Amino acid sequence: MRNFKVGLMILAISLIYLATATAGEGKAWFDMENCAFCKNLADQPGLMENFAKWEHHNVKNGSLSISEINKDYVDAYKKAMAGMEATAKKAQAGEQLQMCGYCEGFGGLMMKGVQFDEVQSGNTFVSISWSSDSEVVKAIHAHTDRTNDEMKKMEEIEKKKEMKGHEGHGH
């Protein structure tokens, strides 16, 4: 059960700062409005805007995620995690849930036997996922790379929106 909870934590960390990014295959990679898992984060007022850091890095046998949450929102984050755990139980019981591309991919990694662990230090959460199977490591790296690519797309969209919002304001 600990690995399952850690897996949920990694899932949540991986969705920070995100709204919706197009997956290219007709499904959004991240979908805060429609994904049964992502909704738990979006339902916590102010949580999404109060992540001071969110990073993913490939490592030799898996990936590492680092998240820093503004201290006043750690409880909201933990509440979102509890909601994700409840959602996971529904899925385990066979309920059909709408998921974004990221969550489906994450579930696929879990089914391949990916191992998870996490360390919390204050308002910082460090999570690692790994495998001794080189094919599973490739899948972890592909998921991490896709997540980072989608984050870059979201950042570019946000920059364009900001630039457009400043047009005509003497900036």
Side-chain angles (χ1 to χ4, degrees):
M1 190 61 169
R2 170 148 168 71
N3 283 346
F4 183 72
K5 287 181 180 179
V6 171
L8 289 175
M9 183 67 74
I10 292 169
L11 169 63
I13 289 169
S14 299
L15 300 173
I16 306 312
Y17 289 131
L18 301 173
T20 303
T22 303
E25 298 160 354
K27 177 176 275 213
W29 186 246
F30 299 107
D31 189 342
M32 301 308 288
E33 293 178 20
N34 299 306
C35 176
F37 287 92
C38 297
K39 283 181 182 181
N40 290 288
L41 292 166
D43 287 348
Q44 296 299 312
L47 177 60
M48 298 302 289
E49 299 82 14
N50 278 282
F51 278 81
K53 179 185 288 190
W54 177 72
E55 299 175 355
H56 278 294
H57 304 278
N58 285 327
V59 294
K60 182 178 179 179
N61 63 344
S63 69
L64 176 76
S65 298
I66 305 167
S67 291
E68 181 181 338
I69 302 154
N70 291 332
K71 290 178 182 178
D72 293 341
Y73 287 84
V74 170
D75 287 341
Y77 181 73
K78 289 180 179 180
K79 187 174 180 182
M81 294 304 93
M84 285 189 162
E85 187 172 341
T87 302
K89 286 179 182 176
K90 290 178 186 178
Q92 284 181 322
E95 187 174 330
Q96 295 296 310
L97 303 172
Q98 186 169 346
M99 290 186 274
C100 63
Y102 177 92
C103 292
E104 283 183 3
F106 185 83
L109 291 174
M110 291 181 74
M111 292 180 75
K112 290 180 181 187
V114 171
Q115 299 293 308
F116 299 98
D117 209 351
E118 179 199 68
V119 176
Q120 178 185 355
S121 178
N123 60 323
T124 301
F125 298 82
V126 179
S127 301
I128 188 166
S129 60
W130 75 91
S131 177
S132 59
D133 180 327
S134 63
E135 291 303 311
V136 176
V137 171
K138 287 179 187 176
I140 295 168
H141 286 174
H143 194 264
T144 300
D145 291 344
R146 175 72 186 269
T147 299
N148 286 331
D149 289 346
E150 294 294 336
M151 279 300 300
K152 286 177 188 171
K153 289 177 189 176
M154 290 300 296
E155 290 169 6
E156 290 171 13
I157 290 168
E158 288 303 312
K159 284 179 186 176
K160 287 179 184 177
K161 284 181 184 177
E162 286 178 21
M163 291 177 71
K164 211 170 202 179
H166 290 294
E167 287 178 2
H169 290 70
H171 296 280

